[in-house]
Amino acid sequence: SGERRAGALGCCSICGPLSMSFMPEVHVLLIGQCDNMPTFAEYLIKSASGLKLNVRSAESLPLPPDPERPPIDFCVFVMDMMSRHSVISLRDSLNCLDVSFFLGKCAVICVGAGVPGKYAVSQTDLEGLLSGYEMTSWYSTSLCDPGEMARLAQNVVRSLRVVCCSPAGITPMFMRTADLVVVAPTTGTAGQEAEESG
């Protein structure tokens, strides 16, 4: 399948609050055949304040050989839930992806959510497929709505910041788990009261 360069933007070179190191260029690959992917790439670039973001796109994996292609830092699959071809392409492309990407460096956007009667695959089956790869997934009604594209772009960029700006060992997978854990703060006074009441 052909590979297309969707755009690049050089911004401020300082990382976010998780790191004070110099920020290298970040290379993202969008994989899929959904409409408006070039526009979504532009939303990604606009949302990536403080990152040097370079976005490329491809219809599927594997990519054709290219010795000049820079290493990919993050993969985003865009899958149409109403297209059986899109579902099969996602499955086949996942089999071509290096296992290192399944440590929080890839995600899938499921387009067409909200119309169950037109799904080419049940949401249960899809979630079963994705859970086998420990992938982050986001659902969207379409990539034609500016609000939806902005929301999804922010989700992707948040994962990118974790990949590129976090200390070693911190991945988007870890952050996704941490988001589900709420720890109530305790104080010395509260602890003393608990001991006294016991």
Side-chain angles (χ1 to χ4, degrees), residues 42-160:
E42 295 176 4
Y43 272 81
L44 283 176
I45 293 171
K46 291 177 182 178
S47 300
S49 175
L51 295 178
K52 292 181 178 179
L53 191 60
N54 182 300
V55 182
R56 295 172 179 267
S57 63
E59 293 184 355
S60 62
L61 296 180
L63 297 177
D66 182 359
E68 297 184 358
R69 180 170 51 239
I72 302 299
D73 299 300
F74 199 90
C75 290
V76 181
F77 294 91
V78 182
M79 191 272 294
D80 184 353
M81 297 183 67
M82 294 183 286
S83 167
R84 182 169 179 78
H85 173 75
S86 185
V87 175
I88 294 173
S89 179
L90 170 64
R91 182 196 62 196
D92 293 344
S93 293
L94 287 173
N95 289 332
C96 298
L97 197 62
D98 188 86
V99 294
S100 63
F101 281 93
F102 299 120
L103 297 175
K105 296 193 293 183
C106 65
V108 59
I109 295 174
C110 304
V111 178
V115 193
K118 296 185 178 180
Y119 287 172
V121 60
S122 71
Q123 188 166 341
T124 301
D125 290 343
L126 178 60
E127 291 175 351
L129 169 64
L130 299 179
S131 65
Y133 294 95
E134 293 291 341
M135 291 180 64
T136 299
S137 58
W138 299 297
Y139 290 85
S140 172
T141 52
S142 75
L143 280 185
C144 296
D145 178 75
E148 280 290 281
M149 284 193 284
R151 177 183 67 84
L152 293 168
Q154 290 169 2
N155 286 336
V156 173
V157 169
R158 179 175 181 271
S159 291
L160 285 176

Side-chain angles (χ1 to χ4, degrees), residues 13-26:
S13 297
I14 303 299
C15 284
L18 293 178
S19 172
M20 297 301 292
S21 61
F22 188 79
M23 185 67 222
E25 190 170 16
V26 181

